[in-house]
Every structure is written in structure tokens, then in C-alpha cells.
Amino acid sequence: MLLPPRTHRLDVAVDPADAFVALFGDGGRDERRDARRDAGRDAVWLDAGPGAESGRSFIGTGSRAITASVAAGTVSDDAGTREGHILGLLRERIGPGEDTAGFPLGWAGWLGYEAGAVPLGVPYRAGDGADAAFLQVDRLIAFDHADGSVTLVDATDNGGWLPQAAAALRTAAGAADAYERAHPVVGTEASVPVSWRHDDADYLAMIVACQEAIRAGDAYQLCLTNTATARTEADPLAVHLRLRRASPSHHAGFLRIAGETLVSSSPEQFLLVTADGALRTKPIKGTRPRGATLAEDLRLRAELEASEKEQAENVMIVDLMRNDLGRVSVTGSVSVRHILEVESYAQVHQLVSTVEGRLLPGLTAVDALAAAFPAGSMTGAPKLSAMRILAGLEEGPRGVYAGCFGVLAADGSADLAMVIRSLRFRDGTVTIGAGGGITALSVPEEELEEVRVKADALLRAAGLRPPGRLPGNGSEGANV
């Protein structure tokens, strides 16, 4: 139970990157140490991106975390470890809507793909580390990008945090740049091998197998993925700062919980639930790389807009998400607000659609999450059949990748993004997932190239040299 929040509006502008480093980086001037006593501890940063002119970003911390293990069938919190599922524990912890003064105080974290497979009864491969991890955020800094305001919020009985944090933030300018300089990642891992679960030949064969399943009528679309892993000494926060600059996105995040770190430049909003019950999901399906010249870029964008294959891929997932939201929505409230819109990011153009609904009375954001997870954009359609087929082909866990991250707030609202364009750091290892939707019209070589395009910026942000092709052929140096 959170205490009634106390707020303090800062009298100076602060960049979210500087703020996070000032409060949760490693180092800093002596006079900041009291305000930075949480440095190295659990913290989350949900980020609208550098230069954002609308929306809000949030940096939060807390002292209570919950985690889940799919393999053991257990959940763990400050009371110990017991049998259960993470969604059940979140239902217990998020009661009737509390007064949060309009800020997302509550449980922030990630839900891995396998944690979604278990309730559906489909096959899965359990991986290492936490299959879900959430931090109870009871202190946060809110950045309103429309008016430039910065507000500190405290829902604890710690009366000293607000003035201490405010003092640290007033002198935070330049902290992020200094942190990057002190933790270089460019080239530090150039000689470290990147190991992909499936090499080129295997991945192309998997694409063909997907198409055979589609022609047999077992699925309409399959979101096939691959996983890259490497040992690393790169600092996760420095990687995030670099990725944030190279691949800005409106649903990015840096989450450090229970000894693991998720770094994301996700462009995809998985699920938005407002405190009064409005629902929204914005599935992404359909991708083209950015062009090297303006003319090429416009050509690729137009090609995406005109692609019959990409349009069909997107519409299939829109239909799936309409069905998922319909299970928890007021009859007749589910509608497609926008269809097949192009959104452009640093590395790719994407086709995005928007599906909306109205949550049934008596249901909560956790119920909406349970109905829609895993997201259809990361499974394919029909969902259950697609997940069964993919489990047999991928031969390993997706982990956090293809899951979701964000906040389930105490006021009943939620804002969750897809875990794509993301890196997971754990025990000196970094893991990256990448993939794409396969249809009967897919060209296998083009789908392989899409994986390379999506993984390239992530590998480079971590200081890893992308191999010229997926593993097993000895070629190095070109884009992945």
C-alpha cells in the first residue's frame, strides 16, 4: 500500500538522461552521495526519447521487488518464494484504484514470453534468470515533455528524499555525457564472438518450414525469431545512453531489477489502460530499412505502404488483437482507430495500426494484460497454433524478448511496451532477440535481412561487431 504522494515541482529543466545518471549512475561528486544512495540499486526509466516534445518520461525506484521462475513455477517477493504465477501475484498486489495524483506509482518491470506461454498451456523452453521481474515504484521523477516541467513524487514516509533528490537534479546537467565518456563501449567488444542460436542456413530452413505450416492451414502468419548471445563487460547504462541517441523511440526503457538489466529502444506500445478503463494497443507488422539517401528512403517507405504482403501481415495481427481485447471489453467498444500507418525510426520504417476498446466493469489492467499476452505481433495467428509451431522450430527460450515491459500503476492504469529492439544483461552476458512475421508471400532472404537490420543497432550499441552473416560461415564485417 502506497502512502498519499507528496510532490515537488523542480524549478529548473533537467534532461531525463542526466537525471538518471545523477541519481542512479556510479560515481558523482561527494555532495551528491546522500541523494544518490540508491545508486546501483533497482531503478526503472521509461523514456519518451531525447528531444521529445510530447508525452512523459518517468524515472522510478523502490525497495520491494517481485520475480518469477517459469521452470520452478514459483514467485518470489519480500515474503519469500512460493508456488504461483506472476499475474496472480500482481493481482494480489494491485488492489482497487489508489490515488497516485496522476503519476504511475505502482509496479514497473518486465514480463517474459514464457511467462505468457504457461497460462495458455502451450509448449515452452524455460531459460535462465527471471522470467518476470517487477519493482514497486514508490518514488519517481516525472518529465512532462509538452511543458518542460519536472516533478518529484514520493509515496513513502521518507521525508528527506524529495529535497535530496531535488538538490542532486539541480546540478545534474552534463552527467550523461560524462558517464558515457567514463564508460566507453565503442570497439571494446570488437573481438568477442556473437553467437546466434540459428545460423543462416538453419534460419532460412525455418522460414520455409513456417511457410509449409501456413500452406497446410495450421497458421496464417508466424513470427519467427532468433537469439544472439555474447559475453560482455560493457556497462548497461552506457549502452542505453548510446542506443537512446542512435535509435530514439517513444517507448524506450532502462530497467534494472533483481540483478538483471533490460535496455530497450522499443517503438511498439503493447497495451495502454487508462484509470477509467480505456484500452489501446498499437501492433507493428511490416518493416523496411531506412534509405541512405532521401530518394532511397522515400522509395522504401512507398514500397512498404504498397506491399501486399506487409499489409496482409499487419491486418492479420489487427484481427487477432481485436479478438484479444474483445475478451475483456464492453460489447461493441472494440474498434480499429488507425490502420496501416507508417512510422519512421532511425533504422526502419514500420506499419502500425491502432486498436481500442473499453474495459468491462469489474476487470483490471492485469485482466487486460492476461487476455492479450503474449502479443499477437510476436506470435502470429492464430495465436495458440502459432506458439506451438514456433516452440518446435526455435528450440530455445525467447526470455524477456517478445515479452512486455512498463508499469501497472496503483490507480488502475497501465502502459506497457513490447520487448523488441532490446538487450538483456545478466551475469556478464548480453542477449538480443530479433525476428519477423512470416507469411505465404515472404521471401526467405528478405526475412533474413530484416533480422540483420533489426539486430545491427543493438549489437553496435553494446560495442559488438556485427558478423557479416549469422553464425557458422566465418564471414564478418557487414550488417547483421
Side-chain angles (χ1 to χ4, degrees):
M1 186 76 174
L2 299 170
L3 296 178
R6 291 170 288 118
T7 64
H8 172 78
R9 184 159 174 162
L10 210 60
D11 53 6
V12 295
V14 182
D15 181 86
D18 288 335
F20 191 91
V21 171
L23 293 176
F24 299 103
D26 67 347
R29 300 197 303 272
D30 289 345
E31 60 265 32
R32 290 186 182 176
R33 287 180 180 167
D34 285 343
R36 297 181 59 263
R37 62 191 179 282
D38 291 316
R41 295 175 58 190
D42 294 350
V44 298
W45 172 12
L46 305 178
D47 186 27
E53 297 179 352
S54 62
R56 295 195 294 177
S57 297
F58 301 98
I59 294 171
T61 189
S63 57
R64 302 176 66 194
I66 56 178
T67 60
S69 168
V70 165
T74 59
V75 291
S76 301
D77 60 9
D78 49 347
T81 299
R82 63 183 186 273
E83 292 185 358
H85 190 272
I86 186 66
L87 293 181
L89 183 54
L90 287 170
R91 281 193 179 94
E92 291 178 14
R93 293 299 181 91
I94 304 173
E98 298 181 38
D99 179 13
T100 65
F103 298 100
L105 298 162
W107 292 95
W110 67 76
L111 186 66
Y113 180 83
E114 283 71 39
V118 170
L120 298 179
V122 298
Y124 65 90
R125 306 287 183 97
D128 297 328
D131 294 293
F134 283 83
L135 173 69
Q136 186 179 40
V137 172
D138 52 24
R139 286 156 289 162
L140 62 78
I141 304 99
F143 304 83
D144 189 317
H145 299 294
D147 64 15
S149 64
V150 180
T151 304
L152 284 70
V153 186
D154 187 356
T156 74
D157 59 1
N158 181 357
W161 184 79
L162 285 177
Q164 291 170 353
L169 294 180
R170 289 190 187 98
T171 57
D177 287 343
Y179 194 91
E180 278 198 82
R181 289 193 298 270
H183 299 82
V185 293
V186 180
T188 59
E189 309 286 323
S191 62
V192 176
V194 176
S195 173
W196 286 85
R197 181 177 292 156
H198 305 286
D199 66 17
D200 277 11
D202 286 344
Y203 196 76
L204 289 168
M206 291 161 61
I207 294 171
V208 172
C210 286
Q211 292 181 309
E212 290 174 351
I214 290 168
R215 293 188 184 103
D218 297 326
Y220 306 116
Q221 180 200 85
L222 293 162
C223 184
L224 185 66
T225 74
N226 204 353
T227 301
T229 304
R231 297 294 298 176
T232 183
E233 295 180 1
D235 180 87
L237 180 53
V239 171
H240 179 69
L241 294 171
R242 186 175 182 217
L243 182 64
R244 180 180 189 257
R245 186 177 62 255
S247 300
S249 180
H250 51 71
H251 268 75
F254 179 90
L255 297 86
R256 185 171 59 211
I257 304 173
E260 301 190 36
T261 302
L262 175 65
V263 168
S264 181
S265 63
S266 178
E268 183 171 355
Q269 184 180 63
F270 164 52
L271 184 65
L272 176 72
V273 184
T274 65
D276 63 355
L279 302 175
R280 184 175 75 195
T281 184
K282 298 186 67 173
I284 290 177
K285 273 298 166 195
T287 304
R288 287 292 185 279
R290 299 300 301 266
T293 66
L294 177 59
E296 183 185 14
D297 196 55
L298 293 174
R299 177 187 64 78
L300 289 166
R301 179 187 174 105
E303 180 182 292
L304 176 60
E305 290 178 304
S307 171
E308 179 182 346
K309 179 262 182 185
E310 306 285 18
Q311 290 180 16
E313 188 179 343
N314 191 286
V315 169
M316 288 181 206
I317 300 307
V318 166
D319 285 342
L320 190 158
M321 297 307 295
R322 287 175 60 195
N323 179 70
D324 283 352
L325 291 192
R327 294 163 54 199
V328 292
S329 293
V330 173
T331 301
S333 68
V334 177
S335 64
V336 180
R337 176 58 62 91
H338 302 291
I339 188 77
L340 303 176
E341 294 188 319
V342 176
E343 292 185 0
S344 297
Y345 298 91
Q347 279 78 37
V348 293
H349 298 292
Q350 308 250 229
L351 277 183
V352 184
S353 297
T354 304
V355 183
E356 298 180 340
R358 170 65 58 178
L359 191 63
L360 281 165
L363 297 186
T364 70
V366 178
D367 296 312
L369 171 59
F373 190 75
S377 61
M378 296 306 297
T379 63
K383 182 183 287 189
L384 296 183
S385 179
M387 293 179 71
R388 293 187 182 102
I389 294 168
L390 292 167
L393 292 173
E394 294 180 354
E395 298 180 343
R398 293 185 177 184
V400 176
Y401 173 65
C404 66
F405 73 91
V407 63
L408 294 159
D411 65 357
S413 65
D415 194 355
L416 301 164
M418 292 304 309
V419 181
I420 57 175
R421 317 290 196 274
S422 303
L423 308 95
R424 180 188 196 176
F425 291 86
R426 176 180 176 271
D427 292 341
T429 298
V430 61
T431 304
I432 296 168
I438 309 302
T439 72
L441 298 176
S442 291
V443 177
E445 291 75 14
E446 292 179 359
E447 297 295 342
L448 180 61
E449 179 62 21
E450 183 174 323
V451 173
R452 295 171 178 162
V453 169
K454 290 174 176 176
D456 180 77
L458 303 170
L459 291 165
R460 294 185 186 281
L464 298 168
R465 178 187 298 167
R469 296 175 64 80
L470 299 183
N473 52 34
S475 174
E476 294 197 5
N479 284 348
V480 171

